[in-house]
């Protein structure tokens, strides 16, 4: 579309981005909920396995914030295989 000079439809993501940073609306999670869901879907698509157990640690890097911006996640798949997302 861009090469032809036409533009597609654009959406203002600013309001959604602000909402995702509000712990009263989304809880204390940010990075994990946002990126982690994509990582899980990719893992499930590739392996066909579901995650059966999870252990996670949440951290803030830099200035203190109300929500996490870093997570380390250990998990185990249905077939017993261990995994880590960090």
């Amino acid at each position: 579309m861009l090469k032809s000079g036409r533009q597609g439809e654009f959406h203002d993501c600013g309001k959604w981005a602000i909402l995702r940073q509000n712990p009263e609306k989304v809880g204390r999670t940010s990075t994990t909920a946002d990126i982690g869901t994509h990582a899980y879907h990719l893992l499930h698509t590739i392996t066909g396995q579901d995650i059966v157990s999870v252990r996670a640690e949440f951290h803030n890097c830099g200035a203190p914030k109300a929500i996490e911006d870093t997570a380390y996640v250990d998990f185990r798949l249905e077939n017993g295989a261990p995994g880590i997302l960090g």
Side-chain angles (χ1 to χ4, degrees):
M1 284 194 306
L2 294 176
K3 286 184 180 181
S4 69
R6 297 179 324 185
Q7 291 183 351
E9 186 176 334
F10 291 92
H11 300 279
D12 179 11
C13 296
K15 290 179 184 178
W16 175 241
I18 292 169
L19 175 68
R20 290 187 340 203
Q21 300 298 313
N22 183 343
E24 292 178 11
K25 301 286 185 188
V26 298
R28 291 189 56 226
T29 186
S30 175
T31 304
T32 305
D34 194 14
I35 299 169
T37 56
H38 299 293
Y40 167 76
H41 285 214
L42 179 61
L43 174 77
H44 182 74
T45 298
I46 292 171
T47 67
Q49 298 284 310
D50 280 326
I51 294 175
V52 296
S53 66
V54 176
R55 181 188 160 281
E57 291 183 21
F58 302 104
H59 303 277
N60 288 323
C61 294
K65 301 173 213 41
I67 56 178
E68 51 82 18
D69 61 13
T70 305
Y72 300 97
V73 182
D74 296 319
F75 59 89
R76 190 159 304 273
L77 298 177
E78 290 175 311
N79 66 1
I84 187 167
L85 175 66

